Amino acid sequence: MTEPVSEARAGVEGLGRPRRGGAPSFWLQAFAAMAYRQLARFRAAPSRIVNSLVFPLIWLLFFGLGWSAAFNVMGPMARQLFKGLDYLEFLAPGIIVMTVFTSGFGSGLGVIWDREFGYLKEILVSPAPRSAVLLGRMTGDTLATMLQGAVMALLVSVAAGYTSVQGVLAGLLAAFIAAYASASIGTLIALSMRSPEGFHTVISLIMMPMLFLSGAFYPIDPLPGWLKALAYVNPLTYAVDLTRGLMYGVYSLSPGLDILGLLAVTGAFTALALAKFGRTYMA
């Protein structure tokens, strides 16, 4: 897999010599340059949209529709289990969050490729503030990820018969924070790795337990205590519950706890990624 030289060097001009306006202005210039670069990379590879939608669509079509038909046979008992929703309605917010979360890990893979092609070394020796560089690239990746989330939200809404535009937009706002958390986790892991193959292996080991402990596929209330404790340190748990609540008005946790938990876990991983990037050097 290769990356065009022009793409690998995109945004370098915006990270060069500080311009007039002082340090805050230069920080914003570096932030905007990196965010723009990540969006430009996404625009140059439209196949990423298709690839990121395949996995959630498989869950929606074969898992969601199949189990929805099975639970419908149970009648009101199934709706009671899923807090008054049918299974497809219960699953829909989880599929949206799953899409942005799995796509957000691409931010980490981009770090590895930037190291491979020498772009990361150019960034590290530039006068650009490292915090602006990292936050800019994670923000750009998150915005690109939300485009994929919006497409999936449309598909899921059609499948589940959901018609509230306001609910979808509110749900996507919660998913945005989950996407940022995913980008920070992926970046943190990538800064400690050298090969794309190793990164994919580690991400797969982390991603699947996080998805199954998020409440996306089944309620977390009946889980054993030790599994429920793991779910509460999972940012996806709060993102899925908040998205489901904003779309359908059904919460497993309180909205305040969802917001606080999601912001706290996302902030913690972002801080760790910033600290790791600040100590990164290349010979």
Side-chain angles (χ1 to χ4, degrees):
M1 180 176 180
T2 61
E3 184 180 45
V5 174
S6 59
E7 180 181 306
R9 296 179 181 277
V12 173
E13 295 82 358
L15 300 176
R17 184 178 306 166
R19 301 175 185 175
R20 294 182 180 180
S25 176
F26 181 53
W27 193 97
L28 290 174
Q29 291 168 14
F31 176 90
M34 289 305 302
Y36 174 79
R37 174 185 184 260
Q38 299 306 107
L39 288 171
R41 294 179 68 184
F42 177 78
R43 185 180 60 184
S47 60
R48 285 177 56 185
I49 298 180
V50 178
N51 292 335
S52 67
L53 296 179
V54 169
F55 182 65
L57 277 176
I58 289 175
W59 281 98
L60 176 65
L61 294 176
F62 299 104
F63 193 85
L65 294 179
W67 278 108
S68 180
F71 282 123
N72 284 342
V73 177
M74 298 173 59
M77 185 183 300
R79 282 188 169 270
Q80 184 178 0
L81 176 64
F82 299 115
K83 301 184 181 298
L85 305 174
D86 68 36
Y87 185 69
L88 196 57
E89 291 172 336
F90 181 87
L91 181 66
I95 295 294
I96 295 172
V97 174
M98 179 199 300
T99 302
V100 301
F101 187 76
T102 55
S103 301
F105 279 121
S107 185
L109 186 60
V111 171
I112 294 179
W113 284 116
D114 282 349
R115 180 188 288 118
E116 181 74 16
F117 288 99
Y119 182 79
L120 184 61
K121 187 172 184 178
E122 295 181 11
I123 292 297
L124 293 177
V125 300
S126 75
R130 292 195 177 189
S131 60
V133 169
L134 190 68
L135 292 176
R137 72 175 298 141
M138 288 197 306
T139 300
D141 285 330
T142 300
L143 291 174
T145 294
M146 291 310 299
L147 296 176
Q148 302 165 66
V151 173
M152 180 53 68
L154 176 62
L155 297 175
V156 166
S157 297
V158 171
Y162 188 77
T163 58
S164 173
V165 176
Q166 294 87 348
V168 170
L169 294 177
L172 285 175
L173 180 60
F176 175 84
I177 306 175
Y180 209 95
S182 174
S184 63
I185 295 171
T187 299
L188 179 63
I189 295 172
L191 289 171
S192 302
M193 307 199 70
R194 295 287 177 179
S195 70
E197 295 79 11
F199 177 80
H200 282 299
T201 300
V202 172
I203 288 302
S204 297
L205 292 174
I206 293 175
M207 184 173 63
M208 294 308 296
M210 292 183 73
L211 289 174
F212 283 112
L213 285 175
S214 67
F217 305 112
Y218 44 75
I220 63 173
D221 297 334
L223 294 178
W226 65 275
L227 274 179
K228 193 179 296 185
L230 290 176
Y232 288 152
V233 297
N234 180 5
L236 281 187
T237 300
Y238 305 104
V240 169
D241 191 55
L242 185 58
T243 303
R244 185 177 291 127
L246 291 171
M247 291 180 65
Y248 290 103
V250 173
Y251 292 92
S252 296
L253 306 170
S254 69
L257 181 59
D258 284 334
I259 295 172
L260 181 62
L262 184 56
L263 291 176
V265 177
T266 302
F269 280 116
T270 301
L272 290 172
L274 285 169
K276 179 67 175 178
F277 191 61
R279 297 192 301 268
T280 299
Y281 69 92
M282 296 185 66

